[in-house]
Amino acid sequence: MAAVQWRSHGRNYDTELQRCRLEAALVDFGDYHPLKPIMVTDTKTRRGTRKGSTSSSSSSSSSAPPDPLSSMLDGTDPLSMFAAASASETPPMSHSSSTGDLGRRKREKEEEAVGPDFEPWSLKRGEILARFTTTEKLSINLFIGSDRGKATSQGSAVSEKVRTRLEELDDLEEGSQRELLNLSQQDYANRIEELNQSLKEAWSSDQKVKALKIVIQCSKLLSDNSVIQFYPSKFVLITDILDTFGRLVYDRIWTMCSDPRPLPDNFTVEDVNDTAKETCLNWFYKIASIRELLPRLYVEAAILKCNRFLNKSGIQETLPRLSAMVRGIGDPLVAAYARAYLCRVGMEVAPHLKDSLNRNFFDLLGTFRQISSENVRAQLVLQRVEMPEYLTLYSPAISWILQCIAYRAPESLLTEMMERCKKLGNNALLLNSVMRAFRPEFVAARATDFIGMIKDCDEAGFPKHLLFGSLGRSLASADPPESERLTILNEAWKVITKVRSPQDYINCAEIWVEFTCRHFTKREVNTILADIIKHMTPDRAFEDAYPQLQSVIRKILTYFHDFSVLFSMERFLPFLDMFQKDSVRVEVCKSIMEVFIKHQVELTRDPVILNAMLHICKTMHDSVNALTLEDEKRSLALLIIGFIRMVRLSHLLYYVNNNHNCCFGLLYCIVLICICCFCFNFGVTFFFFSALQVSFGRDFEQQLSFCVEARATFCNLEPVLVQLIHTVNQLAMETRRVMRGNHSRKTAAFVRACAAYSFITIPSLSSIFSRLSLYLLSGQVALANQCLSQADAFLKAAVSILPEVPRSISVEGKLRSSESFLVDFINSFLATLLVIPDHPEHGVLYLVRGLLNMVQDYTWEDNSDAKVRVYISALPLLAAMSQETYLYSIPKVDSNDTLYGGDPKFLSEINKLCETLIGQILDHLKTLGRDEQSTRRQGALAFSLFGVLLAHGDLRNNKLSQLAVNLWNLSHKHGCCETRTSVRTLEFIKHQTQQPDMTHLSDMVQRLTLQSRT
Amino acid sequence: MSVTLDIRLKRANKVYLEGETVAGVILLVCKEALQHHGISLSMEGVVNLQLSSKSVGVFEAFYNSVKPIQLISSNIEVAKAGKIPGGKTEIPFEFPLHTKGNKVLYETYHGVFVNIQYTLRCDMKRSLLAKDLSRSCEFIVHCQPQKSKVIPTPVNFTITPDTLQSREKNSLPKFLIRGHLDATNCVISLPLTGEVVVENSDVPIKSIELQLVRVETCGCAEGYARDATEIQNIQIAEGDVCHSLAIPIYMIFPRLFTCPTLETTNFKVEFEVNVVVVLHDDHLITESFPLKLCRL
């Protein structure tokens, strides 16, 4: 094919822009327009019916634009009607004839239900299991009953059946027992779980007797406290089984009466059919005949809920009876847990029955002296358990009971409870549970009393630091009277500081830190920190207390957000020094950084903060090593970047916002964001949009030197370096903004220093695309600051590393082809090249040529059109370059349009270049044409070249228009062109022909034919 | 060819009073039509007495078992010989519970030597080749509630070594156990209640139990035999309970195994409850209370 002669189509960007704008059409007042406010003419008063509705627009005023949706409706809208209905509690669509009754029931139910503020057992459960463990060997006494029940023939009379069943029960009690000895705790738990499973199996295979047997056997285990430390956990495990059993029985009876339709939730006795009642009664009779006290008690408690099937007052009568039954349990620990179980079941089934809860507690108090009885002492000696440890075994049970009692209890009751505890000689165990279970507000209001009571306690049984710990926990969430606060802290700390064991000390101190932080200033907190340091430093006791120390830091950080105050605490940094284990220290630093980033809104140039934070960041940075995970690095980098951001003065968007009319600014911004998106694929982009309100000072130089220092400090974290380069670039742009674009000698030197910083830093990055985009960005910044040679250097550097781009890169751990990234980069690079003036010592279009040469030499993927696509996209650039005035320019920088002033020599250079490019493209198209499979690609490329010719080429030139027609035909030759696009293109060309200087296109349209795909 | 025969009573709990009507259905399920030679249904109430081998010799016990006393008996023919269609067939029936003459319907009771039982029995006669089918079903009779009111008779008790009738009184450790039963004339459907308080005890207590005992007396020509056997034993305290704290006594009378105290010319059924205190050194202290059960 003969060489093509390229002529760029001359453009007048201003008129084109004018033409593109939509015409403004005036709308007459009376005309309909969807966005015009709808005037409401209907002004009926709807107040009466719309009481309680959420929409506040009333009909009286129509000046505010009313909601078109609501005005569409005549009268009240259905939603607010519902709202009004529910507010006045007269549901209009209730099916029940007695609506009042329904409402009452609903209310009753609300009263009954335990609110979400009640800490459920399930939460306590795990806590207890984790806390009460043992290394002693355990044993299970079990009777695996014979399956005699199965042997009973169908024909036997009821009496026989009953007898055999009862015999089986007896058999269980006296019969062959199997003892499992030497179980570890885990084995034990597994065994219990097995029992739970076999219970379910037995139940589902209709072996109800076996199921009952299992439950009885399990609850019998609870009377055995041979490994006393494990008892609370055992209780938890076994009551799980009991709960399962209770549920199974209840569900079964429930299903028995759900025929024909299921029972409502609030069913009454009358709704239950006789068979179900009989079955239920049978269960109760059966359980009433269990020989041993403890199983009888527990199993009956487990199916307490079933009383609902029998009579109204069943639960109400049973609970007190069961509570009284507990009195028969001699062992105080076993009894306490039995009571806890009763309270638990009671709360679940009938939370309104407070009386039995109270009775339980009073009984507990009544039997308290049992704890110090001879029997118990002997047992403790036998098991080698110390009294304090023994007492802590009670705390879950007592706490639970008290929690149930205290739940929504009136103040007077709590006071009464407290008095009763006092009467018992301020028993420490009780006091502890009272403080833990009662509402924090209640405890806080009487904090001084409690301190007095704690002091009066005898030290023997229960360590005081635990008591203060509990008190502290209450005070942490509720405030004592203002006047008492300091005394409370003083009194408490007096005791705490005397605690010998560092572990006990820190456990208690950690709790009180919260109270201190809440109500006092840095002075007191500092004192406490000093005290903690004093206690924890000897023998490196802090090594065992990292979790508590961390929690101290966390608490301080929740209350002290002002970092200048925080770091002015003398003891804060020494406190941090106690974290000597690397992982913990980094954790702590991270938590500090997180708070800093979250709460530091204002810039601070406070050298104390900067130094301290730099120190903390350095600690985090230094923890990075070869083994650090990628994620970890990323999160560290993010935190450090957050810090650098806070030190930063101004913001790039500021610049953009002040330069609305500067096209380059917008371009720049968009390019930047794109770069950010793929530089580091985590959400760094967000900070470009965030802190517009950041204040700024003018000591830029100091900041640059900060960046230099930071670069040295954080050299291991690439994202941080990237951020630093962005920071410095921003600094340069900020300077430009402050100087309103007219750099003085000093500021010019400064921006050059900034450019130098970037230029030095960029090569140390390993990611090639980070480097490329930063070169481009820094080049743009340098250009904007009139540093032409620096800009040249950046762009040249970018071009020179292009060949290094690997063919594939790893994106989020996956290997991807780099081609699309590269093409994108080159495109944005080309966009920048438009405004770059040619270097006087190099030839015309030096950079463009250089780029194109690199593109040519680059080893593209086989079978890829990327190179040609780059060529195609270079054509619009060249076309834009040949315009008289360029589409965009940089203030105070003369681009080629001014430099050459449309010199024909320059234009012919461009045209030559274009011709070469087109030649290359056509060659490629030819190559593609040889292969059957690549016709689709050929078509697509031809079409895009056609597009470029149409938009940028001067088609008055015959050869060029001939080429365009040929390309059109080529792209349609194989029918793989999308018809819709073709039609749209044709329409566009036809539209264009109506322009005054585009008439020549009409000839061409005639020659462009659509080919139907057949 | 399978067929199942069943008796279904209308009342789920199968409890009837004298004068009421026992109603229900005979349920026949077969796959195909079934030929039979007649179905009959009989109701019977019988007191079975047995002499214990302890009070009379083994052989006497075997041979001399007293003749059962029939309380009620009736028989009806449900269906004449014929065919029953395949599928589920329900034949309703009703039996009035009326006695003849001055006989009384005693309450159902399952004991060791005395058994009072009421059964329905359904027989289906079939041809020689097929076996006859039969099915029986027990139902429970409660005697007419007592008209008069029961005035509770509380009983207080104190147990010390001195109150015991024991030879080794002196070797016993010191203890003082007090308590009361709310009533000894109990309503059978209500629990036995009371309290027991361990005031003091030198030796720790191992367990406190309630033992329900039946005392059955059978009269016959050679005299009578009286035997006391345990019905059930309920533990009310385990371990060394807190002193001077009232522990509840609570026991539900088991169904079938208890009945209102019964005294007839031929036999007697009476009940007692024992409060048993087991000391840690395995001393067993028992205090016995005769009960009079009735039905209200």
Side-chain angles (χ1 to χ4, degrees), chain A residues 154-160 162-163 166 223 274-275 278 281-282 284-285 288-296 300 321 324-331 334 339 363 366-370 373 375, chain B residues 10-14 110-111 115 117 119 135-138 188-189 195 204-205 207 209 232-248 250-257 280:
Chain A
Q154 277 269 308
S156 72
V158 177
S159 65
E160 268 175 58
V162 170
R163 195 174 297 160
L166 283 172
S223 64
D274 283 346
T275 327
E278 188 58 23
L281 209 59
N282 262 332
F284 281 109
Y285 270 112
S289 67
I290 297 174
R291 207 190 88 83
E292 269 132 327
L293 172 64
L294 212 59
R296 196 167 66 243
E300 184 164 2
R321 181 167 61 73
M325 238 165 108
V326 181
R327 292 174 171 200
I329 301 174
D331 190 293
V334 177
R339 290 188 193 288
D363 271 358
T367 55
F368 230 82
R369 54 180 189 274
Q370 289 276 93
S373 73
N375 262 347
Chain B
K10 246 184 199 167
R11 285 192 195 167
N13 59 3
K14 299 181 179 174
H110 292 235
N115 261 303
Q117 204 172 359
T119 45
R135 182 84 175 177
S136 61
C137 158
E138 179 173 7
I188 196 163
S189 55
E195 275 181 347
I205 284 164
S207 171
E209 286 151 25
Q232 70 174 9
N233 193 344
I234 297 276
Q235 189 186 36
I236 57 167
E238 185 188 18
D240 191 17
V241 290
C242 193
H243 290 181
S244 55
L245 183 77
I247 296 161
Y250 181 90
M251 180 165 69
I252 290 174
F253 295 110
R255 294 183 297 184
L256 298 180
F257 302 107
H280 218 267

